[in-house]
Amino acid sequence: MLDKEVQKKANRRNIFKLVISQFLINLGDVLINPKVTLPWLLQSLGAPLYLLGWLVPIRESGSLLPQLIIAHFIYKVKVRKWVWVLGSLIQSLCVVVIGCAALLLDGVSAGWAIIVALIVFSVARGLNSVASKDVLGKTVVKNKRGRVTGWSSSASGLITIGIAVCTLFFFDNIQGNVSFYIWGIVAATMIWLFAALIYSLVQEPLSEVGDKGVNFIDVFKELSLLRTDSVFREFVIARSLFLCAALSAPYYVLIAQQRSENGVLILGLFILSSGLASLLSSPFWGLFSDHSSRKVMMFSSLLSAFTGVALFSTVKLFPQTSFTTLLIVILYFVLSVAHQGVRIGRKTYLVNLGEGNKRTSYVSVSNTIIGFILLAMSSISLLTYSISLASLVLVFSIITLAGVYMVIRLPEV
């Protein structure tokens, strides 16, 4: 009985540390956001415009593509929280490089220095991604894992709301103030270091180690899981189709901007909607995922698809009206709620699907494949040359519905 009480206390402490460390990482991400703050910084420094187009692909795919190789090194590590700590330390150094580039360089040299730092930063984030799911599975009991991700995402939403308030009320004062951003870089560096410290205090049992990783060619043998493990294969297919829900989000913003004269106000409202969605819905999705992560993926992806259909219908029925803009913001809020459900549900499902090194294999293989598919699916945006933005969102919604069908086929874990 005493051992159970000790285990419960250790479990609660681990949950607290994991939530706090993830909260700090999310806070740091806000300060070097490749969709908002980094483009602003590059423009302020006079960097070439073509570099701005590389920011999001580098940040997203850069952390996913190397995970198969990263996992093979992790197989030999008994205490894997240190891999997460190493990733955070490298990211903090990359943030320092970005700050130095902003302070000492300008133009092309500043732009390329920031791009190189972002590449290393993204690869380091891959260390965090692979290790975090393994540590979560080892340190938190199965029926509590979803809420860890949920509360972390909720805290991230609170941060996003703060950014939205700054955008709405202080944008004119911040715009063009590079020194303000440099101080933000300093803060981000300290945040990553503090996150590493908190995570290092997690009580983690030893992992099983094997002979994997001895031969570099063996790295690619992990891909055979897609052939031999039917449940994992169908999960990866479903997750790939769900990418369309995330890829459709920017087009909500573009459609609203086309129908509004106040771009800053619209930007602030969309950031606020995203933050509120994370803050309010993530704890619910986390608790729901502890009950059935499969149903969370199914319901949230269905909600995402229907939101896209509603957007298409709204644009067609109410063209060029101020009412349309407000309605699109509301639909974006619903889409953000759905996206949180998809994200939390698939993370929880993947952690629960395997144990030990098999879980690490699942994470690394799926993320590597998703990195390639993300780059490929980005090409769907080329359809904007032949169809309207609203029609493109409808296409994304139809593809998401195919993902719903794949999730229905998955078993409960």
Side-chain angles (χ1 to χ4, degrees):
M1 187 68 179
L2 181 61
D3 290 340
K4 288 185 177 180
E5 288 298 321
V6 172
Q7 183 60 39
K8 284 183 179 179
K9 289 182 179 179
N11 192 68
R12 286 195 295 268
R13 287 194 295 268
N14 281 334
I15 289 175
F16 176 77
K17 293 167 188 174
L18 291 173
V19 170
I20 292 298
S21 57
Q22 189 59 52
F23 168 81
L24 291 169
I25 288 294
N26 291 337
L27 176 57
D29 280 342
V30 169
L31 297 174
I32 59 165
N33 190 325
K35 298 177 183 178
V36 181
T37 51
L38 283 184
W40 172 85
L41 182 62
L42 287 180
Q43 286 184 318
S44 299
L45 295 171
L49 290 177
Y50 64 84
L51 291 179
L52 274 66
W54 286 98
L55 292 174
V56 173
I58 287 173
R59 173 63 185 85
E60 298 299 330
S61 297
S63 63
L64 295 173
L65 294 176
Q67 290 195 17
L68 201 59
I69 297 173
I70 290 171
H72 249 60
F73 289 99
I74 291 180
Y75 288 137
K76 305 296 291 183
V77 180
K78 292 184 178 180
V79 183
R80 293 174 181 173
K81 67 180 181 181
W82 298 117
V83 177
W84 196 98
V85 171
L86 175 62
S88 294
L89 292 176
I90 294 174
Q91 288 170 79
S92 69
L93 292 175
C94 292
V95 174
V96 171
V97 172
I98 292 173
C100 290
L103 185 63
L104 303 174
L105 304 174
D106 56 23
V108 176
S109 57
W112 277 109
I114 291 173
I115 288 292
V116 171
L118 186 62
I119 292 172
V120 179
F121 178 95
S122 299
V123 173
R125 177 53 62 90
L127 295 173
N128 292 53
S129 180
V130 176
S132 64
K133 295 177 181 64
D134 195 15
V135 174
L136 177 63
K138 289 165 58 184
T139 60
V140 178
V141 294
K142 188 174 183 179
N143 63 351
K144 303 283 187 183
R145 294 168 183 168
R147 66 196 69 186
V148 171
T149 306
W151 283 112
S152 300
S153 299
S154 183
S156 175
L158 186 62
I159 299 167
T160 308
I161 291 172
I163 296 297
V165 171
C166 290
T167 302
L168 289 170
F169 296 103
F170 305 110
F171 183 81
D172 291 337
N173 294 329
I174 295 173
Q175 191 173 25
N177 189 346
V178 177
S179 62
F180 175 86
Y181 189 76
I182 292 173
W183 281 109
I185 291 287
V186 174
T189 304
M190 300 307 297
I191 286 167
W192 258 285
L193 292 175
F194 190 46
L197 175 62
I198 296 295
Y199 206 89
S200 69
L201 300 177
V202 171
Q203 296 178 333
E204 177 194 355
L206 297 178
S207 297
E208 57 179 296
V209 295
D211 295 329
K212 293 184 178 182
V214 174
N215 189 340
F216 184 74
I217 301 299
D218 290 339
V219 170
F220 303 99
K221 292 181 180 179
E222 296 291 334
L223 294 172
S224 63
L225 282 172
L226 294 170
R227 177 175 53 83
T228 60
D229 193 323
S230 60
V231 174
F232 176 65
R233 179 175 63 249
E234 292 184 355
F235 167 80
V236 172
I237 293 172
R239 183 183 172 188
S240 301
L241 295 171
F242 289 161
L243 288 174
C244 287
L247 290 173
S248 68
Y251 297 102
Y252 285 66
V253 182
L254 291 177
I255 293 170
Q257 283 181 329
Q258 291 176 353
R259 287 162 171 74
S260 175
E261 297 179 355
N262 193 333
V264 175
L265 176 63
I266 291 299
L267 177 62
L269 288 175
F270 273 99
I271 295 175
L272 183 62
S273 297
S274 176
L276 284 174
S278 297
L279 178 66
L280 299 177
S281 70
S282 296
F284 166 76
W285 290 126
L287 290 171
F288 194 179
S289 292
D290 287 334
H291 171 70
S292 173
S293 53
R294 170 183 163 272
K295 289 179 180 177
V296 167
M297 288 190 292
M298 183 172 64
F299 290 136
S300 57
S301 57
L302 196 59
L303 178 61
S304 170
F306 285 154
T307 304
V309 174
L311 174 75
F312 177 81
S313 302
T314 298
V315 172
K316 293 301 180 182
L317 293 174
F318 307 103
Q320 301 301 328
T321 64
S322 57
F323 169 76
T324 306
T325 303
L326 180 60
L327 195 54
I328 292 173
V329 172
I330 295 172
L331 288 175
Y332 184 81
F333 170 79
V334 178
L335 178 71
S336 299
V337 168
H339 177 65
Q340 287 299 319
V342 171
R343 193 177 67 86
I344 293 171
R346 57 97 174 159
K347 282 187 176 183
T348 307
Y349 191 91
L350 189 58
V351 171
N352 292 340
L353 186 60
E355 297 291 337
N357 281 339
K358 191 169 188 180
R359 180 192 293 120
T360 306
S361 298
Y362 281 157
V363 173
S364 60
V365 171
S366 65
N367 284 349
T368 299
I369 295 299
I370 292 300
F372 284 109
I373 293 176
L374 179 63
L375 292 175
M377 278 196 169
S378 298
S379 63
I380 295 178
S381 61
L382 295 175
L383 289 174
T384 54
Y385 289 104
S386 56
I387 62 176
S388 66
L389 295 180
S391 298
L392 181 59
V393 171
L394 184 63
V395 171
F396 281 132
S397 297
I398 293 171
I399 297 174
T400 302
L401 283 175
V404 176
Y405 170 74
M406 294 303 300
V407 168
I408 292 174
R409 293 162 50 94
L410 292 175
E412 296 285 352
V413 293

